[in-house]
Amino acid sequence: ARGLRGSGGPVWAPRLSWPIVVTVVLLVVLAVDMWWQPLWAYDSWTFWTPRAHALSALNGLDGRWFRSYDLGTLDYPLLLPAVEAAGFRFTGYEAGLLDIQSLLFVAAALLAFAEVVVPRGPRWARVLPFLVVVSPSLADQIASAEADLPLAALFACAAVCGYLWHRERLAGSLALFAVFAGGAAATKIEGLPFVLSLLVALGVAEARRSRRDALVLAAVGLGSLLVALGPWRYWMSAHGISSESSFGRITDVHALADHAGRVPYSTGYLLAKTFDPRAWVLLAPLLVVLILLAARGARREATVVASIGILCFASLVLAYWTTPF
């Protein structure tokens, strides 16, 4: 908080425009819809919400219950169930609250984007939150009340704050980067390789200017991961819960060879999902176009953004390649 005081920088002065009006209206309509829409997603009923309910009903982590194999994947971190459990503690077992919480993650991320990016970017940047809100899969993913959108919101804010520190050296943005990076890692297993991808891309760009600052960024990022995941991994070890997601499987040459056919399949599958217009309309193609345009005048920035996307995509392919499932 001390780093944020007197940090200067552009100030966002919102003016009514059609993207802002439509975005706010759609978020309000979504909020009304999500409050009355029943919780329907399979993973929510069988995995995310039971963990949240158990944290509330059992007053914390109960080793016997959380070792139950009926939950499926046991090593997923607990930030989202903890947030939902807090809601249950204050409101009772109110399932309508879950969709609203997912919506708040998205709305907060869009507001942060508007405050940080819009004053520093071109005029067309104001349209990007609107494109997020009108994406067809957004309402579907909010209604599922799973961890994907909270993960996306936290990771996007971590990326923006990390890049802001790289560009403007605001101490407050480095502190916020640590908070959001740790939050992303503590939300879902994918958060860890995503944050590591972000650290690698920003670290390489930083090292070209100052090795000392690159080491500072790495120390802050790795420290946030240790704080976010260390206690949970310790608790898992103490209760005999093995990690089903492990970087150690990369060294299992025989398993990698046996599952080599997964690589082209998962790559094609993920590309199809990424560029499916029924899910994201123009978002992914627009990102590619913007990176290509930026490469003409700001090659370093375009390289950083493209590297983050490629590394995150590669981490997902690697996960499908090495998973025991």
Side-chain angles (χ1 to χ4, degrees), residues 69 82 113 152 232 303 307 315 318:
Y69 285 92
F113 181 91
W232 171 238
T303 301
S307 299
S315 71
L318 182 63

Side-chain angles (χ1 to χ4, degrees), residues 260-271:
R262 294 179 177 180
V263 176
Y265 177 82
S266 58
T267 300
Y269 178 85
L270 289 169
L271 284 173

Side-chain angles (χ1 to χ4, degrees), residues 211-296:
R211 291 186 178 182
R212 176 184 173 276
D213 289 339
L215 291 175
V216 169
L217 178 67
V220 170
L222 295 176
S224 71
L225 294 178
L226 180 63
V227 171
L229 296 179
W232 171 238
R233 293 298 176 93
Y234 175 80
W235 188 90
M236 286 173 50
S237 176
H239 289 80
I241 299 176
S242 59
S243 177
E244 295 173 349
S245 58
S246 173
F247 289 110
R249 294 196 180 92
I250 301 175
T251 61
D252 191 344
V253 179
H254 294 292
L256 293 179
D258 291 340
H259 299 153
R262 294 179 177 180
V263 176
Y265 177 82
S266 58
T267 300
Y269 178 85
L270 289 169
L271 284 173
K273 288 290 185 180
T274 301
F275 291 95
D276 187 354
R278 296 169 299 177
W280 302 111
V281 192
L282 297 174
L283 270 182
L286 180 62
L287 175 62
V288 174
V289 171
L290 293 179
I291 290 174
L292 294 175
L293 291 176
R296 300 170 60 184

Side-chain angles (χ1 to χ4, degrees), residues 58-103:
L58 302 176
N59 200 32
L61 277 167
D62 185 292
R64 292 171 299 174
W65 191 89
F66 275 87
R67 283 200 306 268
S68 169
Y69 285 92
D70 294 338
L71 287 173
T73 307
L74 300 178
D75 58 342
Y76 268 68
L78 283 175
L79 179 60
L80 182 64
V83 172
E84 295 177 349
F88 293 153
R89 178 62 58 90
F90 289 104
T91 66
Y93 188 55
E94 177 54 72
L97 182 69
L98 303 178
D99 296 341
I100 296 296
Q101 287 178 328
S102 293
L103 179 67

